[in-house]
Amino acid sequence: MAITFTPVSPEIGGEASGLTGSDLVTPQAAADVRAALDRYGVLILREVNISDADLVTLSRLLGSVVVPPRGGTDDHPEVQKISLDPAKSELATYQQGTFYWHMDGANDAIPQFATLLVARQVSDEGGDTEFANMYAAYAALPEEEREELARRRVVHSLAATQILVYPNPTEKQREAWTRVPSREHPMVWTRGNGRRSLLAGATADHVVGLPEDESRALLDRLLEWSTQPRFTLRHHWTPGDLVIWDNTGMLHRALPYQPTSPRLMHRTTLVGEEAVA
């Protein structure tokens, strides 16, 4: 059975409905998903209610799957639990950093290729997820600015995000952040196939070679440009929804929700396929 996606907007997103988790775990379905991911950047599959086992199978059909060092479920170590409740997720301490626009693995040489996220429980207030298309945002800039930005380089770090959540960190927190190496990347990521996207977001610490005030002004301006309504999509979760996105070309963020919220997501991540260049 072929899967057909309907565009959500001209710049970002494709949506499918009427499917179940078992419909997705065939080579044909995975090929349709992969093709749609390249086209739309973000895929919304409403109320598919995919099991963890089928989520892992689909992920493996799409690419190589990351096995995280912690946070996995008992039966499927590839599946991470995402929650603000420490009783549900070992990663709860870091989750408030996801309230800011970011790309996962931005301080890695080869960022993760894609993310699959399933809603197990949803929040009564907040907890929607937003996405921004960084391919489209870059393409829409004036040519002269695109050329100028392509010459810039940016340092990305975990600390840049966490300082937004904890503006007065303890020494122990700072030490934990700095144990995750920072990474210098070009501001514009040029793929082997010629596609280009901006590398921005909360992990962007500073622009190499610019004074601090000019660096921050440029990073803030580009983030504001990239996250305007034209380039963005907001998903309101229903239990059972599956959303898949191209992590390398989309920024994302969760809208804030309370630590007492029942919100629980299950996530798999695909290994990166191309180094930033």
Side-chain angles (χ1 to χ4, degrees):
M1 179 181 71
I3 300 176
T4 301
F5 290 87
T6 301
V8 176
S9 75
E11 299 284 13
I12 183 172
E15 182 175 328
S17 61
L19 299 169
T20 66
S22 59
D23 293 329
L24 300 175
V25 290
T26 68
Q28 179 60 57
D32 293 340
V33 167
R34 180 73 187 232
L37 191 61
D38 289 341
R39 179 177 180 183
Y40 297 113
V42 180
L43 304 180
I44 299 168
L45 298 100
R46 294 191 179 275
E47 299 182 71
V48 294
N49 294 300
I50 192 169
S51 68
D52 283 352
D54 282 346
L55 178 63
V56 172
T57 299
L58 172 61
S59 301
R60 288 175 175 160
L61 288 169
L62 293 172
S64 298
V65 183
V66 174
V67 179
R70 60 194 178 112
T73 66
D74 294 337
D75 295 330
H76 301 283
E78 305 93 335
V79 179
Q80 278 189 309
K81 294 177 287 186
I82 307 298
S83 171
L84 291 181
D85 183 350
K88 294 181 178 179
S89 172
E90 295 181 40
L91 305 175
T93 303
Y94 294 97
Q95 288 309 303
Q96 291 190 42
T98 67
F99 296 165
Y100 300 90
W101 289 108
H102 65 287
M103 177 182 77
D104 294 333
N107 53 328
D108 295 336
I110 305 178
Q112 295 97 327
F113 166 61
T115 302
L116 295 85
L117 193 64
V118 182
R120 297 297 185 216
Q121 295 175 268
V122 300
S123 180
D124 294 331
E125 295 183 11
D128 290 0
T129 303
E130 292 187 313
F131 303 91
N133 189 333
M134 305 304 280
Y135 298 113
Y138 174 76
L141 288 168
E143 181 178 359
E144 183 177 341
E145 185 170 10
R146 294 200 305 269
E147 293 175 354
E148 194 276 331
L149 292 176
R151 295 191 289 269
R152 296 288 185 187
R153 298 186 67 82
V154 183
V155 174
H156 291 261
S157 70
L158 173 64
T161 301
Q162 292 301 306
I163 199 69
L164 298 173
V165 182
Y166 305 103
N168 298 299
T170 64
E171 190 62 32
K172 184 177 180 180
Q173 285 175 312
R174 287 188 179 276
E175 289 175 357
W177 301 345
T178 56
R179 282 198 292 270
V180 179
S182 60
R183 180 80 57 172
E184 182 181 312
H185 287 313
M187 182 171 278
V188 178
W189 183 351
T190 303
R191 311 305 199 282
N193 63 8
R195 294 188 82 186
R196 289 184 165 192
S197 63
L198 286 171
L199 283 179
T203 58
D205 185 84
H206 64 274
V207 180
V208 176
L210 286 184
E212 183 177 351
D213 58 341
E214 292 182 27
S215 169
R216 180 43 50 194
L218 176 57
L219 291 172
D220 289 348
R221 179 174 63 81
L222 289 176
L223 186 59
E224 183 178 4
W225 165 263
S226 302
T227 57
Q228 61 181 287
R230 171 183 173 184
F231 304 122
T232 59
L233 177 158
R234 176 173 173 172
H235 180 61
H236 179 70
W237 293 95
T238 298
D241 285 356
L242 167 63
V243 175
I244 306 171
W245 68 92
D246 169 5
N247 176 67
T248 73
M250 308 292 128
L251 293 184
H252 66 282
R253 68 175 179 180
L255 296 186
Y257 55 100
Q258 295 299 316
T260 55
S261 165
R263 187 181 192 269
L264 175 65
M265 319 298 279
H266 280 194
R267 177 179 73 187
T268 55
T269 304
L270 301 186
V271 173
E273 298 178 351
E274 189 170 352
V276 179

